[in-house]
Amino acid sequence: MISGDFMLYPQLNEKRLLISLNGIWDFALGGEELETDKLINPLTDAKRLYVPASYNDQQADIALRDHYGWAYYQRRFSVPESVGENRLVLRFGAVAHACAVFLNGKEIASHVGGFLPFEAELDCRLLQASNLLAVAVDNRINYSTLPVGNEGSAMFGSGAPDFESVRKTKLKPQNYPNFDFFNYCGINRPVSLYTTPAEYISDVTVTTELSQGSARVLVCAVLSGEGEAQVSLLDKDGNELASGKAGDELIIDNPVLWQPNAAYLYTAKISFKNDCYYQKFGVRSVEVRGNQFLINGKPFYFKGFGKHEDSEIHGRGLDETLNVKDISLMKWLGANSFRTSHYPYSEEMLNLCDEEGIVVIAETPAVGLNSKSYKNTIAAHRGVIEDMIARDKNHPSIVMWSLANEPNTEEAEAYNYFMPLYELAHKCDPQNRPVTVVVSNNDYVKDRVAPAMDVICANRYYGWYIFAGNLDAAAQAMAAELDYFERFSKPFILTEYGADTISGIHSAVPNMFSEEFQAEYYDAVNAVLDKYSFVIGEHAWNFADFQTIQGILRADGNKKGVFTRERRPKLAAHYFRNRWRGIPDFDYKK
Ligand code: GCB
């Protein structure tokens, strides 16, 4: 199995074939033990489900929705003769959370982690006229997985009988996320086959540096085979601007910069023997200087959202139409950015952001970390940082890495846990982008992690969870917190703030859960943010309503969306449209 450095996005070009294995697959639920016969023999009594998509909401069946443990997918495929002597690679965009892949009865890959791709080169000796591809998927979460699931009595909340006695009552096992989104699972992203010649390009890294009106472009390639790769830089219309060997410094005179809301993408064509690969890239710089966040040397202001990959029926599965709609709605609002809360998003979404000039803060799936999980998650956490940056390093839309969302940073060990990860992220990134951890510590003066990051990112719900309904108190508490963080002379982004709002509930005076309250809540907090020059961004929580575990705090999911789950605007969407269209991307706070 291949992972880590070797995760070029698959493409169809004059040297490579790309075949989709998306579509209707056979599907069966399993139990807590892996049943290899369901990977070797055709499934009996299979359901038919669509891939890519989460399995949970595809049928009106509580067994699918609340499943715990293994599930099995199968389909058959044939390989066209035109593949000939080429290498054939099977690639999964993401399977949540752990999986084993069998081909014609033999295991060919396994993978842990639900939000990043993995691939397996197929051994042609295993191939037949019709091949049985089988995937076992485990959706269980616990103190060692990212995201983190609860264990023991923590699963049932405070006041519940201790776990052992509950166990004895023979409750059906269930996942208890230590995070606030539904644990949608399955083959969530595309499955494909692609070819390369026997000697091939296995990785490409592009870095650019701007100086005196020109861009120095370095294209490095990892090759499987002896020899050197050639590079040709193309403009948007396919005209060649420079060429040379991989690793040479190439110059683009008077480059068109990749700018927020005005994206421009160049292409590096890499040729190696009988292989080639087209890597898009942008010329742009990112830098934290003092309390400013500079893109192309100018102070940028983040206007946008924390999001989710979440929708009706698809669950967390890739829905490219939805992605197109979401980006268009962000532009309609005058937003310019979002955070991939709380996991790496699909490559398809990042490609779209590159094209559309949407700025992205890319986050790992490290959500729900606490003192009980720290010692168990560190290895997976390192791995996911390495793999995420290896996958996403070339995206001009990504301007910062977020290592985690709301870990328990009050713990003494949190600082020791995060500083090596902070250094690792910097080391892995050829563009050396800023790195952060998104915190939410009520006792923020005890937080040692946030001020140690390049940008201080905090989630804050004054007026909702704290001082519920009291917007005056909310504004004062927000100001007090900003007074505290200002001393670190670093930029600050309010990465989450929001209020649950049921679309259609209205009130003359702002009442919690009404559309008017949500709009007034944002207006009250934003008035505070506007007073502080080191506040360089506001990300409302959330872009849209999304599904969560059931519970007394959630009315059919989290309703803090500025849009409904169907993407209809609430009053706050119009409020932000009015505000953000008046806030420029650059130089908002001089
Ligand atoms: C948070 C979390 C987010 C939740 C949100 C909320 O701080 O980061 O995942 O959904 O609060 O609505 O409670």
Side-chain angles (χ1 to χ4, degrees), residues 342-356:
H342 296 309
Y343 35 80
Y345 284 11
S346 69
E347 294 156 289
E348 290 75 8
M349 182 53 145
L350 298 172
N351 290 339
L352 187 62
C353 292
D354 289 346
E355 301 275 354
E356 294 284 351

Side-chain angles (χ1 to χ4, degrees), residues 256-267:
V256 185
L257 298 183
W258 188 95
Q259 299 270 26
N261 274 310
Y264 187 96
L265 295 176
Y266 292 96
T267 299

Side-chain angles (χ1 to χ4, degrees), residues 307-310 317-330 338 345-350 352-353 356 543 567:
K307 270 186 107 291
H308 266 300
E309 291 186 321
D310 169 278
L318 175 67
D319 180 345
E320 292 209 69
T321 321
L322 186 78
N323 289 348
V324 167
K325 179 82 177 188
D326 285 2
I327 299 292
S328 86
L329 288 174
M330 283 189 225
F338 69 87
Y345 284 11
S346 69
E347 294 156 289
E348 290 75 8
M349 182 53 145
L350 298 172
L352 187 62
C353 292
E356 294 284 351
F543 175 77
R567 275 48 181 176

Side-chain angles (χ1 to χ4, degrees), residues 44-90:
T44 47
D45 295 330
K47 298 174 185 297
R48 273 158 293 280
L49 297 192
Y50 185 72
V51 168
S54 307
Y55 54 72
N56 308 79
D57 287 353
Q58 288 197 42
Q59 297 190 347
D61 186 348
I62 196 168
L64 282 180
R65 193 196 66 188
D66 290 348
H67 182 60
Y68 177 88
W70 290 98
Y72 300 86
Y73 287 85
Q74 288 189 357
R75 68 160 286 162
R76 291 193 162 271
F77 70 88
S78 304
V79 176
E81 284 170 3
S82 54
V83 166
E85 297 297 296
N86 284 301
R87 284 173 71 235
L88 188 61
V89 183
L90 173 66

Side-chain angles (χ1 to χ4, degrees), residues 83-350:
V83 166
E85 297 297 296
N86 284 301
R87 284 173 71 235
L88 188 61
V89 183
L90 173 66
R91 189 185 202 267
F92 290 83
V95 179
H97 294 289
C99 68
V101 181
F102 277 56
L103 181 65
N104 296 333
K106 293 223 161 49
E107 180 163 4
I108 56 164
S110 63
H111 189 256
V112 175
F115 304 93
L116 289 171
F118 62 94
E119 25 181 69
E121 188 173 332
L122 301 188
D123 179 347
C124 290
R125 286 167 306 186
L126 285 183
L127 295 178
Q128 305 164 1
S130 165
N131 299 287
L132 181 67
L133 176 61
V135 183
V137 184
D138 187 359
N139 76 346
R140 282 170 293 181
I141 45 174
N142 53 45
Y143 287 152
S144 336
T145 57
L146 295 176
V148 175
N150 281 310
E151 292 181 18
S153 51
M155 294 162 79
F156 303 100
S158 56
D162 76 79
F163 181 64
E164 278 317 310
S165 59
V166 172
R167 254 270 200 260
K168 282 190 204 116
T169 63
K170 298 217 178 358
L171 281 182
K172 247 179 83 193
Q174 216 178 308
N175 278 308
Y176 289 88
N178 196 30
F179 48 86
D180 183 34
F181 49 92
F182 193 88
N183 186 38
Y184 281 118
C185 284
I187 305 181
N188 278 337
R189 295 187 192 152
V191 187
S192 54
L193 286 170
Y194 70 90
T195 65
T196 75
E199 294 185 296
Y200 62 99
I201 302 156
S202 69
D203 196 27
V204 175
T205 303
V206 186
T207 47
T208 65
E209 207 182 300
L210 266 174
S211 80
Q212 290 160 0
S214 58
R216 292 205 295 257
V217 181
L218 200 64
V219 180
C220 295
V222 178
L223 306 172
S224 188
E226 292 299 312
E228 280 177 321
Q230 298 296 315
V231 175
S232 161
L233 301 186
L234 311 171
D235 70 11
K236 199 158 69 80
D237 304 317
N239 304 309
E240 183 172 281
L241 303 174
S243 66
K245 291 199 192 80
D248 286 353
E249 194 176 271
L250 303 175
I251 304 288
I252 301 178
D253 288 321
N254 303 316
V256 185
L257 298 183
W258 188 95
Q259 299 270 26
N261 274 310
Y264 187 96
L265 295 176
Y266 292 96
T267 299
K269 178 182 179 188
I270 300 100
S271 309
F272 172 60
K273 299 193 174 170
N274 203 26
D275 192 16
C276 83
Y277 191 82
Y278 294 82
Q279 178 64 55
K280 290 192 177 171
F281 67 97
V283 176
R284 63 111 184 79
S285 65
V286 175
E287 188 194 342
V288 170
R289 195 184 299 154
N291 62 15
Q292 295 185 324
F293 192 100
L294 307 181
I295 298 183
N296 299 326
K298 291 181 293 177
F300 179 69
Y301 192 78
F302 291 79
K303 305 177 278 177
F305 298 97
K307 270 186 107 291
H308 266 300
E309 291 186 321
D310 169 278
S311 68
E312 290 275 354
I313 305 167
H314 291 75
R316 187 140 295 111
L318 175 67
D319 180 345
E320 292 209 69
T321 321
L322 186 78
N323 289 348
V324 167
K325 179 82 177 188
D326 285 2
I327 299 292
S328 86
L329 288 174
M330 283 189 225
K331 294 203 166 188
W332 178 75
L333 290 173
N336 57 18
S337 55
F338 69 87
R339 174 170 59 117
T340 71
S341 40
H342 296 309
Y343 35 80
Y345 284 11
S346 69
E347 294 156 289
E348 290 75 8
M349 182 53 145
L350 298 172

